[in-house]
């Protein structure tokens, strides 16, 4: 049987004492780390599964919107927003649903769907698109003050001109010619040289206001 010198015995005794003192904590820490890793893997697996389910529903939603099956659109959009609200498909589904309901004349539902996107979308661009579409809904409801308030939010890069144009549309409908002209000019000033179609449309809107449209 092997024997140990005094120094080795002292080290073994110290190790045993340390283990008695801290061994449980070490085991707990190792188990906690293992559980954390397993939790991350499990959560990612769950997210992937949820995204796959939402993707399948979203595909059916787009088909329903294409055939103008409003009931199916409502049911499928609801399935995504209620069952998979944290997936990337949720705001997209709400936008599709809002467009379908707007075209069918259901402004109340269209507004609710767009407000959901504004509140929940993680991508600023999707929120901006929802705001611009909500302005159209509010214009149809003649809620001009609410439409202008919707455009008070800071637009993400690339959307400032579209916000200006939408603001000009609201002012024009209110009969506020000077404000509309100023907004349209601001939108024109943000256009790139290649934006010929947008420039032409804005110039037509300025001409429609009458007076000095230059």
């Amino acid at each position: 049987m092997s024997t140990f010198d005094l120094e080795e015995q002292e080290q073994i005794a110290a190790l045993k004492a340390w283990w008695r003192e801290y061994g449980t904590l070490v085991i707990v820490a190792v188990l906690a780390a293992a559980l954390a890793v397993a939790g991350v893997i499990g959560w990612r697996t769950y997210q992937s599964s949820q995204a796959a389910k939402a993707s399948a529903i979203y595909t059916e939603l787009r088909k329903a919107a294409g055939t103008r099956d409003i009931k199916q659109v409502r049911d499928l959009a609801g399935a995504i927003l209620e069952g998979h609200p944290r997936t990337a498909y949720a705001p997209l589904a709400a936008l599709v649903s809002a467009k379908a309901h707007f075209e069918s004349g259901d402004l109340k539902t269209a507004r609710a769907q767009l407000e959901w996107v504004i509140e929940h979308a993680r991508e600023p661009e999707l929120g901006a698109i929802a705001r611009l579409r909500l302005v159209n809904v509010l214009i149809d409801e003649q809620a001009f003050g609410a439409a202008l308030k919707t455009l008070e939010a800071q637009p993400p890069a690339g959307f400032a001109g579209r916000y200006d144009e939408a603001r000009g549309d609201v002012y024009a409908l209110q009969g506020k010619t000077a404000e509309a002209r100023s907004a349209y000019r601001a939108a024109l000033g943000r256009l790139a040289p290649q934006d010929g179609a947008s420039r032409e449309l804005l110039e037509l809107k300025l001409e429609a206001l009458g007076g000095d449209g230059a």
Side-chain angles (χ1 to χ4, degrees):
M1 183 176 180
S2 300
T3 58
F4 299 93
D5 58 26
L6 292 177
E7 184 178 352
E8 289 174 332
Q9 290 180 24
E10 183 179 350
Q11 291 175 351
I12 292 172
L15 180 58
K16 288 180 178 179
W18 184 90
W19 183 257
R20 284 196 300 270
E21 184 73 22
Y22 300 107
T24 301
L25 292 177
V26 171
I27 293 172
V28 170
V30 170
L31 288 175
L35 288 172
V37 171
V40 170
I41 295 174
W43 175 245
R44 288 179 178 173
T45 301
Y46 172 77
Q47 286 183 311
S48 177
S49 173
Q50 292 296 298
K53 292 177 181 177
S55 174
I57 300 173
Y58 180 71
T59 299
E60 295 302 313
L61 170 62
R62 289 182 60 85
K63 291 179 182 177
T67 60
R68 299 182 181 275
D69 187 340
I70 297 301
K71 181 181 184 306
Q72 188 76 344
V73 166
R74 184 181 298 110
D75 291 345
L76 292 170
I80 293 180
L81 297 187
E82 294 173 14
H84 313 281
R86 296 179 63 83
T87 66
Y89 293 97
L92 297 175
L95 287 174
V96 171
S97 176
K99 184 174 185 292
H101 283 91
F102 178 76
E103 292 175 347
S104 72
D106 186 349
L107 300 183
K108 181 179 179 180
T109 301
R111 180 173 180 172
Q113 297 286 277
L114 293 170
E115 288 173 344
W116 191 97
V117 178
I118 292 170
E119 182 177 352
H120 295 92
R122 298 178 184 178
E123 297 79 6
E125 294 77 12
L126 290 180
I129 291 170
R131 285 183 181 277
L132 290 168
R133 293 184 180 177
L134 179 57
V135 167
N136 290 329
V137 174
L138 294 170
I139 284 175
D140 273 25
E141 294 179 339
Q142 297 189 350
F144 301 126
L148 290 172
K149 187 173 182 62
T150 298
L151 295 168
E152 289 178 358
Q154 181 68 28
F159 281 84
R162 296 178 65 180
Y163 273 43
D164 287 331
E165 183 178 0
R167 197 175 288 111
D169 292 342
V170 177
Y171 284 136
L173 289 168
Q174 288 181 302
K176 298 180 178 180
T177 304
E179 290 89 340
R181 185 177 291 115
S182 176
Y184 286 147
R185 285 175 177 167
L188 272 172
R190 298 182 191 277
L191 291 178
Q194 65 269 23
D195 295 329
S198 297
R199 183 176 299 278
E200 183 177 350
L201 177 59
L202 282 166
E203 288 173 348
L204 287 173
K205 289 183 177 182
L206 278 169
E207 289 178 10
L209 291 175
D212 180 15

